Amino acid sequence: MPRTMLSPHDRLLFALAHATGAAPALACPLWSVPLSDPGQIHHAVTEHVGTERTVVVTGTLERRLLLIENSPGEPWTAADLSGRTHASRTWPAWVRGNLVITEPNDWLSPVEVTDQARHRLLRPRLLLTSLYHPEHFPLPRFPLAISDLARAARLSLLGQVELMDMQLGATLPDILARVASGEVDILGISATFGQHDLMTRLLDEVTVADQPPLLVAGGSLTVRNERVLLDRYPNLIIGRGAGEPTIADVLAHWHGDLGREQIRGAAFRGSARGEGTLTIGRARRTATVANRSQTDIWPELDLLDATFAHNGVAQLELSRGCTSTCSFCPRGHKGQWAGADPDGTGWMLAALREVFDRHPRISRTLYVVDEEFIGRGADAVPRALATADQLAAAGFTWETSCRIDQVVHPGQDHDWHLDRAQMWRDLVQRGLRRCLFGVESGVTTILQRFHKETTGEQNALAIRTLTALGVPPRFTYLTFDHLMTVEELRQTYEFQGRTDLLLAPRPKLSVAEIVDGVRDAQWVAAHTTGRPFYTAISYPLVGMECLIGAAYTRRVEAAGLAGQPDLSMGRVQARYADWRIGVLADWAQRWIDRNFPLDYTLKSLEKILTGPAYHRVRDLRQVFKSTAYHLLGDLLAVLAETDPDTSDRLRLQQRCAAVVEDLIRQLHAALDPIMTTTVLDLPPEHRDLLQREYDRWSATHTWQLINAADPCGT
């Protein structure tokens, strides 16, 4: 058979025939094993050739490398399942002299494997874990963080990688049992906000073992809590940026190729170099790698099948970093914006499509989780459209997010606005299903405090432009912040209730008519939907988080309002400048947290449903949003009757409690009949999930905060 006609499965079977002298039987699992999962490949091959032969599956998704030990004293078999020649691979430096390919210009060849190579191919055994609170987030997302790290590790060809994700059924005892098996040399932990308790429980138990593995932790939360974590776990290595260079260097460090101080993008306890220093045990940091220097940002897909089996969604990054310097965001470790070359995305999308094909009931929607999809520079629009072309060619609808100034920008001329408007219309035609915009406020003084570099009027024009163009948007909005005034809160309420922002799509109008029309009050009045703006806010009533290290948090500290750190969320507890707003914000957060698991379930179902069921779920979420806006109005009315010069906190607390109790009863009454019809429209597996979450919500009668601060500050 000509080489170009062979499929990866064909090559797998040819490799086994080469190694064993006999082709596998037609009915064996090797014919259908998913090549996106190296663990399953390894299991199927080992089952076929027997455990007395060493089998190594390494390399990345598009260049999977299979090595099979032949008879003792004979060369092994090396197969590049992509069909490309061994000579075309970029081999890591350690391979030279340790893996000697007999036929480098073929994909299948005998190979001499030294004892050193065998050791490096099999060790270290890296376990990458992703933490999760299922009671807060019932449906999973594909775990990009550990999947990206798995790819970086496999590119090095060092060791073996295993992934465990608590979203997919693994528990902390499962992870601990795997570590205790003695088959884990390095434990990697990915933790984000709200998971500090899980991470410390895991680390506490692992670190007291007789021979604990090398420990590495990363994610937004660990960077925020870096100092505390290193104080508590002095042997921990913390990844401070995009983790791929860090994990690759950790593998080399395990083999003694690099010192700890040579691991890129890391924080750890250590001693400074040089004489006369008294810095033993001091926290040290190494330089991170700029996003523009990391051209490979793709994930391995080991866990995508399992994610779909758990009714989860597929996520992918097509750019990294941000173009903003918002005062509430401390994530400098995310770096400056850099986008992937659209021409290099085709193979990744094809691999994703292959997994989607095995799950025909999952909506073919890809969630491009870029912080800023468009980016900056002269090539921003061509790159965005080329990327959208790739997504459309692969058969995906998609969702993403970007800054609002990619729609309306006061510093740009009329031609720029026409160009951007056409771009947004073109993106929708290329499968853009929804786009998230972080407007954060409609009040200019608040936006200045947030350093959003936008204005309330700019946001209003952008919202009108997007909706008139037919772009399905959703928006994030910070209703409360610690430094706001009562007047700013009233203006916030008024902006969220505006009915002149969400316009009806006008596909037959030119972009010029829309760009000019959104600035004309009469034109707007003729084209409005009449829907209030809050119906397009993803989560109403959200308050500011004073994240550790943020510029906004420093202003709160300077105002004398900061309290103890809350490590569960990587934030600082803080009082409000106006204590009355603080009481309102607290009750608003209790409202959010009581309703969050059910609302999040509905939001997650939106992502995997299509057709009438999708719209039913969206309608349900609108009931939550309308009630939340009603709540804000009622709370403001109570605030207006409270004297700011008195500390009548108990009375205000009691009146707010009465308001939320009354509204939760109204919400129950509104949801019960709608839920009955919605559940009937859902496929059985989604019906059971929604009914379970609804029953749990209905049985809740308290106002507990999900991420309440630990009173000990730990």
Side-chain angles (χ1 to χ4, degrees):
M1 183 183 295
R3 179 182 306 168
T4 56
M5 296 178 63
L6 293 176
S7 71
H9 275 97
D10 291 331
R11 297 187 193 100
L12 175 61
L13 299 172
F14 268 85
L16 284 164
H18 182 278
T20 65
L26 287 174
C28 77
L30 290 161
W31 290 87
S32 58
V33 62
L35 300 183
S36 57
D37 187 339
Q40 291 195 50
I41 299 172
H42 184 274
H43 176 77
V45 172
T46 301
E47 193 172 64
H48 181 77
V49 304
T51 56
E52 65 276 4
R53 297 182 190 230
T54 300
V55 173
V56 175
V57 183
T58 187
T60 54
L61 178 64
E62 81 287 12
R63 291 297 300 266
R64 201 70 80 204
L65 179 62
L66 173 63
L67 298 164
I68 305 173
E69 185 179 21
N70 295 347
S71 300
E74 294 184 6
W76 292 29
T77 292
D80 189 318
L81 300 183
S82 73
R84 283 177 275 182
T85 67
H86 291 298
S88 67
R89 181 184 294 272
T90 302
W91 294 92
W94 73 261
V95 167
R96 187 173 299 122
N98 286 308
L99 283 178
V100 182
I101 305 290
T102 304
E103 299 176 25
N105 293 319
D106 204 342
W107 66 270
L108 181 64
S109 171
V111 56
E112 297 284 351
V113 180
T114 67
D115 289 343
Q116 172 75 350
R118 180 191 180 106
H119 176 64
R120 284 176 172 260
L121 289 166
L122 295 174
R123 303 284 296 274
R125 295 159 299 186
L126 168 64
L127 175 61
L128 295 171
T129 60
S130 184
L131 307 182
Y132 181 65
H133 271 296
E135 64 272 25
H136 301 159
F137 303 91
L139 287 176
R141 270 72 169 136
F142 174 64
L144 270 179
I146 60 174
S147 300
D148 290 345
L149 298 185
R151 178 176 177 82
R154 288 170 182 157
L155 272 170
S156 74
L157 305 186
L158 287 172
Q160 295 294 295
V161 183
E162 179 183 357
L163 295 90
M164 294 181 72
D165 184 357
M166 289 180 65
Q167 296 180 102
L168 308 178
T171 64
L172 276 183
D174 293 334
I175 296 171
L176 289 166
R178 188 72 186 117
V179 174
S181 71
E183 297 179 359
V184 175
D185 300 311
I186 302 173
L187 175 62
I189 303 169
S190 174
T192 190
F193 298 107
Q195 297 170 354
H196 183 76
D197 59 331
L198 296 173
M199 179 167 57
T200 53
R201 282 165 55 195
L202 178 57
L203 287 170
D204 283 347
E205 295 211 34
V206 171
T207 52
V208 298
D210 290 338
Q211 292 183 309
L214 180 62
L215 296 172
V216 187
S220 300
L221 181 69
T222 57
V223 175
R224 302 279 66 77
N225 296 343
E226 177 186 304
R227 179 185 59 79
V228 172
L229 288 170
L230 291 179
D231 285 346
R232 184 164 176 168
Y233 310 106
N235 293 321
L236 180 66
I237 298 172
I238 291 179
R240 299 183 52 250
E244 292 92 336
T246 306
I247 201 67
D249 289 352
V250 165
L251 297 180
H253 169 67
W254 189 90
H255 278 288
D257 299 341
L258 297 175
R260 184 170 286 206
E261 70 280 0
Q262 294 173 293
I263 299 172
R264 292 168 292 176
F268 54 89
R269 289 287 178 196
S271 58
R273 289 180 177 273
E275 296 180 2
T277 58
L278 297 174
T279 55
I280 294 175
R282 188 182 70 181
R284 301 189 61 196
R285 293 178 171 183
T286 60
T288 57
V289 177
N291 288 332
R292 292 189 181 277
S293 300
Q294 296 184 105
T295 57
D296 192 318
I297 62 173
W298 310 120
E300 291 285 278
L301 301 184
D302 304 38
L303 298 180
L304 186 55
D305 271 301
T307 302
F308 287 159
H310 285 76
N311 297 315
V313 299
Q315 301 186 130
L316 187 67
E317 284 182 308
L318 295 173
S319 71
R320 281 188 176 167
C322 192
T323 58
S324 308
T325 55
C326 303
S327 67
F328 51 75
C329 179
R331 294 179 296 166
H333 67 286
K334 289 288 186 178
Q336 294 297 311
W337 186 91
D341 180 359
D343 292 337
T345 63
W347 73 268
M348 184 75 246
L349 297 174
L352 287 163
R353 186 177 62 230
E354 187 176 322
V355 182
F356 270 92
D357 288 343
R358 297 196 286 270
H359 302 269
R361 299 186 70 173
I362 294 288
S363 170
R364 296 223 166 199
T365 303
L366 192 61
Y367 294 87
V368 180
V369 293
D370 299 6
E371 293 189 86
E372 162 56 63
F373 177 76
I374 307 298
R376 302 296 187 197
D379 67 337
V381 171
R383 180 195 167 274
L385 293 174
T387 301
D389 283 334
Q390 292 279 4
L391 289 161
F396 291 115
T397 57
W398 49 286
E399 298 190 10
T400 192
S401 56
C402 81
R403 277 181 57 93
I404 202 75
D405 63 9
Q406 299 286 9
V407 185
V408 170
H409 196 302
Q412 301 291 346
D413 61 18
H414 190 256
D415 287 343
W416 183 93
H417 285 87
L418 295 179
D419 187 46
R420 286 303 160 102
Q422 187 62 55
M423 177 198 73
W424 284 109
R425 181 169 275 178
D426 291 343
L427 291 176
V428 172
Q429 292 172 352
R430 289 161 169 81
L432 175 62
R433 190 167 90 156
R434 278 197 306 180
C435 190
L436 174 69
F437 297 89
V439 298
E440 310 310 354
S441 184
V443 182
T444 297
T445 54
I446 296 176
L447 291 166
Q448 290 170 342
R449 189 157 61 244
F450 292 171
H451 199 251
K452 287 297 294 182
E453 301 179 285
T454 55
T455 67
E457 179 60 22
Q458 178 183 357
N459 287 346
L461 291 173
I463 295 163
R464 290 173 180 166
T465 303
L466 288 165
T467 51
L469 287 168
V471 178
R474 56 191 184 100
F475 303 96
T476 57
Y477 198 109
L478 289 168
T479 299
F480 299 97
D481 84 270
H482 299 76
L483 301 174
M484 75 188 322
T485 64
V486 171
E487 179 56 31
E488 287 176 329
L489 183 56
R490 290 196 182 100
Q491 291 176 24
T492 287
Y493 176 72
E494 291 167 2
F495 189 88
Q496 291 184 6
R498 284 176 63 170
T499 58
D500 63 338
L501 300 180
L502 302 179
L503 306 185
R506 296 302 178 200
K508 294 184 179 180
L509 296 182
S510 69
V511 295
E513 289 174 294
I514 289 173
V515 167
D516 295 338
V518 298
R519 292 161 170 81
D520 181 87
Q522 290 185 332
W523 190 94
V524 169
H527 294 87
T528 181
T529 62
R531 288 194 301 117
F533 174 61
Y534 65 75
T535 61
I537 297 175
S538 286
Y539 290 109
L541 299 179
V542 169
M544 172 67 75
E545 299 279 6
C546 292
L547 297 178
I548 296 170
Y552 181 91
T553 304
R554 290 194 291 272
R555 289 190 61 176
V556 168
E557 291 168 346
L561 300 172
Q564 295 298 311
D566 171 10
L567 300 182
S568 69
M569 297 296 288
R571 66 190 173 191
V572 173
Q573 297 178 52
R575 293 178 290 109
Y576 277 70
D578 187 314
W579 68 269
R580 299 170 301 167
I581 298 176
V583 173
L584 266 61
D586 178 72
W587 278 104
Q589 189 61 52
R590 291 176 189 277
W591 176 272
I592 292 170
D593 286 2
R594 178 157 170 176
N595 297 312
F596 181 79
L598 177 57
D599 194 21
Y600 186 86
T601 300
L602 293 168
K603 181 172 177 285
S604 299
L605 287 172
E606 280 186 80
K607 293 179 177 294
I608 57 179
L609 293 171
T610 57
Y614 168 79
H615 293 289
R616 285 277 194 188
V617 168
R618 281 184 62 78
D619 289 344
L620 259 176
R621 292 203 72 214
Q622 291 305 325
V623 178
F624 278 101
K625 295 177 183 183
S626 296
T627 311
Y629 186 71
H630 188 178
L631 173 61
L632 180 58
D634 288 352
L635 291 176
L636 273 169
V638 172
L639 181 148
E641 299 171 2
T642 304
D643 187 345
D645 296 326
T646 66
S647 295
D648 193 6
R649 184 177 298 271
L650 178 60
R651 180 171 177 272
L652 182 57
Q653 289 277 11
Q654 291 171 337
R655 296 192 65 187
C656 289
V659 167
V660 297
E661 286 292 352
D662 180 57
L663 276 179
I664 200 72
R665 287 192 293 270
Q666 294 183 39
L667 182 58
H668 273 277
L671 285 182
D672 284 341
I674 305 174
M675 181 64 67
T676 300
T677 55
T678 300
V679 168
L680 293 176
D681 281 344
L682 297 180
E685 64 273 20
H686 304 324
R687 183 185 308 154
D688 293 343
L689 170 69
L690 181 56
Q691 189 65 59
R692 182 174 68 250
E693 290 302 321
Y694 187 70
D695 291 344
R696 183 186 300 174
W697 176 79
S698 298
T700 301
H701 302 289
T702 59
W703 296 96
Q704 298 299 315
L705 294 170
I706 289 177
N707 289 304
D710 183 334
C712 298
T714 61

